[in-house]
Amino acid sequence: MIKAVRGTRDILPPDSALFELVEERAREVFHLYNFQEIRTPIFEDTQLFSRSVGEETDIVGKEMFTWEDKARAQSEKAQSLTLRPENTAGVVRAYIEHKLGDKGQLQKLYYIGPQFRRERPQKGRYRQFYQIGAEVIGPPSAGSESPARDAEVIEMLAALLDRVGIKGSTLQLNSVGCANDRAKYNEALRAALKPVVGQMCVDCQRRAETNPLRVLDCKVPEDQPIIAKLPKISDYLDEPCREHFAEVKKILDAVGVKYEVNERMVRGLDYYTRTTFEFTHGGLGAQSALLGGGRYDGLSEALGGPKAPGIGFALGLDRFVIALQSETQSAQTPSVKAFIAPLGDGMNAAAAKLARELRAQGVALDLGDESFRLKKSFEAAERAGAQFVIIVGENEVKADAFAVKDIKSGEQRTVARAELVQALKANP
RNA sequence: GCGGAUAUAGUUCAGCGGUAGAACACCGGUCUGUGGCACCGGCUGUCGUGGGUUCGAAUCCCACUAUCCGCCCCA
């Protein structure tokens, strides 16, 4: 038997309804904030990711699905392609390629789609996973650098969580400063770690070498007192970064979005600058990050584009759905208004004709088969969640009026063809 | 990539050397144009895959694969 490959999965009903629900709500909320959809390719030139996400990150270093695309002619070079591991790089690439900055306006773009990382699968972690994300990007003159944009994006996410009905999540906020600040901080961290790293866990000893920022993320209890004494990123922010962060917090306070400043929150993509944030949720096991994002003021330039500061986020749809399931029991399964039961040989055609008429007028319905006995039709109707059964038999066709039965009450009456839609819609 | 657990019907699980089972679900009948109840009957399985031990393996052993839980990392 051929099975779905490692880390991929089929999302079947009724679970797929939850994905649909979250996607619908997200679109509604995005439109309230004037975001429009962008769809970028699922694979890109490998360099796009190595230059944005960062050559040294785990994502680029060992988690990408990359292959050599065959050259089609002698004169052509083979090209290294990669299944996108995230979508911000693709959006910024499109921004540069289509000169969206020349419009002078802020671009507010959202996307929904699959991403790919070759990680070990776990609860809430798949090799093909789905993200919903949005980006605000544009020339500085359009206000793309303003802390108001950071606050707006974060506030929008709080609104989305409310709208979908996720309650038990917390917002963690931090500022990682600009590239200069981070370089200085990294150095200070290395220096501070040198004398004490020997007393720390083996993981930290390794992190101190490869990526000192990650030490802050350590969960080993014994290491906590040491970590508490390490230098803080907030002490290494320059004045503009400090003011920017203060303003973000001020606006969030004003609109009533609760957050915790977490100076130990570290994000794994190299392009982040200044504001970073994460919404976490219990009930996700080790994968507690529901969604994460931040500012990326230098990304466009790193990709050879114009100066185009931006801020965005990505929401893990798979995890979002798990969080939703852990809070609410049932996804309401979509249902139809009526079920048409053709009764007796030769009735399929008349039933199909009626179904076409009703559906054209916006009545959702399911259609049985003339081979079904009534009992079977009723059961099928019940399973489809139908409110009414419409019987299409010889008598009905002759009279051009149909038996309409209310499944719950058992009441039945005969309704002329012309009045059928009205009769169905009159009963909510 | 590392560590641990698990893998039997559509689902939840029992069986732990001797004929593959239960419950629920599903299908059919009683009941040929009025269901949901009841009763009767039935289907569903390479017992994750491959190898080994044994007269005999779902059961014991080995390898592989997948899933789940941690680590790592991230959404």
Side-chain angles (χ1 to χ4, degrees):
Chain A
M1 190 180 28
I2 299 175
K3 295 184 193 166
V5 305
R6 181 178 174 83
T8 71
R9 60 181 180 148
D10 302 304
I11 298 163
L12 306 171
D15 289 348
S16 54
L18 276 174
F19 280 75
E20 219 179 349
L21 175 93
V22 175
E23 288 172 13
E24 256 168 46
R25 294 283 181 278
R27 285 177 198 275
E28 285 167 19
V29 170
F30 291 152
H31 290 142
L32 287 175
Y33 288 76
N34 197 27
F35 280 79
Q36 290 180 289
E37 184 171 14
I38 181 170
R39 302 191 189 198
T40 66
I42 282 185
F43 54 91
E44 300 263 9
D45 191 312
T46 301
Q47 280 187 47
L48 174 63
F49 304 114
S50 50
R51 282 166 60 186
S52 58
V53 174
E55 201 80 62
E56 299 307 315
T57 60
D58 277 13
I59 294 178
V60 172
K62 48 190 189 192
E63 294 175 358
M64 295 204 302
F65 288 98
T66 295
W67 72 99
E68 285 288 306
D69 194 43
K70 269 182 270 178
R72 283 161 307 165
Q74 291 284 326
S75 57
E76 201 179 54
K77 261 195 225 153
Q79 189 182 17
S80 177
L81 302 179
T82 294
L83 250 26
R84 65 186 187 196
E86 60 102 56
N87 217 332
T88 299
V91 170
V92 174
R93 195 221 80 238
Y95 175 91
I96 298 167
E97 182 170 342
H98 302 289
K99 301 193 180 356
L100 298 183
D102 287 0
K103 297 185 173 184
Q105 306 303 309
L106 221 46
Q107 298 295 310
K108 298 173 95 173
L109 304 166
Y110 78 87
Y111 59 83
I112 298 178
Q115 318 291 338
F116 306 84
R117 291 182 203 172
R118 206 180 164 289
E119 292 184 280
R120 177 117 179 204
Q122 222 176 101
K123 182 178 187 180
R125 190 167 81 184
Y126 306 95
R127 290 182 166 193
Q128 173 172 336
F129 59 104
Y130 295 84
Q131 285 190 335
I132 299 178
E135 315 290 347
V136 181
I137 182 171
S141 61
S144 58
E145 229 164 347
S146 168
R149 300 287 73 79
D150 304 47
E152 186 182 22
V153 165
I154 292 169
E155 187 273 325
M156 175 172 78
L157 289 167
L160 175 58
L161 291 173
D162 278 351
R163 184 77 156 247
V164 178
I166 287 189
K167 290 183 186 68
S169 80
T170 56
L171 165 59
Q172 318 243 13
L173 198 60
N174 194 17
S175 175
V176 295
C178 41
N180 275 345
D181 300 340
R182 244 213 328 269
K184 274 186 233 154
Y185 179 58
N186 245 314
E187 214 152 292
L189 215 47
R190 269 183 218 275
L193 279 168
K194 212 164 221 171
V196 292
V197 71
Q199 306 157 37
M200 302 184 79
C201 67
V202 284
D203 283 333
C204 280
Q205 302 197 11
R206 180 176 45 76
R207 290 180 191 127
E209 287 299 319
T210 58
N211 191 349
L213 281 171
R214 286 274 156 220
V215 172
L216 303 176
D217 226 9
C218 177
K219 283 147 201 139
V220 177
E222 291 75 26
D223 288 356
Q224 299 312 308
I226 299 172
I227 294 168
K229 285 183 199 145
L230 292 173
K232 292 185 170 172
I233 181 79
S234 56
D235 294 330
Y236 288 80
L237 300 185
D238 62 22
E239 201 45 40
C241 288
R242 205 184 303 262
E243 271 169 30
H244 192 276
F245 191 39
E247 184 65 14
V248 172
K249 288 187 285 189
K250 187 177 151 196
I251 299 175
L252 288 178
D253 289 338
V255 297
V257 171
K258 292 203 176 62
Y259 58 88
E260 288 169 23
V261 173
N262 179 358
E263 293 209 39
R264 292 173 49 180
M265 185 185 62
V266 181
R267 316 221 77 255
L269 284 66
D270 281 0
Y271 55 65
Y272 283 121
T273 55
R274 293 191 167 174
T275 311
T276 60
F277 59 90
E278 203 170 288
F279 283 78
T280 58
H281 192 274
L284 287 177
Q287 267 59 55
S288 64
L290 242 198
L291 66 90
R295 182 163 274 288
Y296 43 86
D297 290 345
L299 180 52
S300 172
E301 288 149 292
L303 291 174
K307 188 168 168 60
I311 178 159
F313 70 89
L315 175 160
L317 188 49
D318 310 83
R319 291 180 189 178
F320 209 83
V321 165
I322 292 170
L324 210 53
Q325 282 168 330
S326 78
E327 286 190 4
T328 59
Q329 250 59 7
S330 53
Q332 72 282 38
T333 51
S335 57
V336 296
K337 186 77 182 177
F339 184 94
I340 295 185
L343 188 65
D345 285 349
M347 287 299 124
N348 270 345
K353 182 165 179 263
L354 182 64
R356 180 165 160 89
E357 283 168 24
L358 294 178
R359 285 167 171 157
Q361 293 177 81
V363 179
L365 48 84
D366 209 347
L367 186 54
D369 189 88
E370 63 187 28
S371 68
F372 291 3
R373 301 213 309 217
L374 266 186
K375 168 180 169 144
K376 192 165 162 178
S377 286
F378 283 124
E379 284 166 359
E382 181 116 55
R383 265 197 295 270
Q387 194 180 344
F388 298 100
V389 173
I390 303 170
I391 297 169
V392 178
E394 226 170 313
N395 301 340
E396 283 79 5
V397 170
K398 239 178 248 163
D400 206 30
F402 302 89
V404 175
K405 178 161 176 163
D406 185 310
I407 292 178
K408 272 205 195 95
S409 70
E411 271 173 58
Q412 182 171 330
R413 59 208 173 101
T414 302
V415 181
R417 175 177 230 117
E419 275 129 48
L420 214 40
V421 171
Q422 208 172 11
L424 295 175
K425 287 190 172 167
N427 291 273

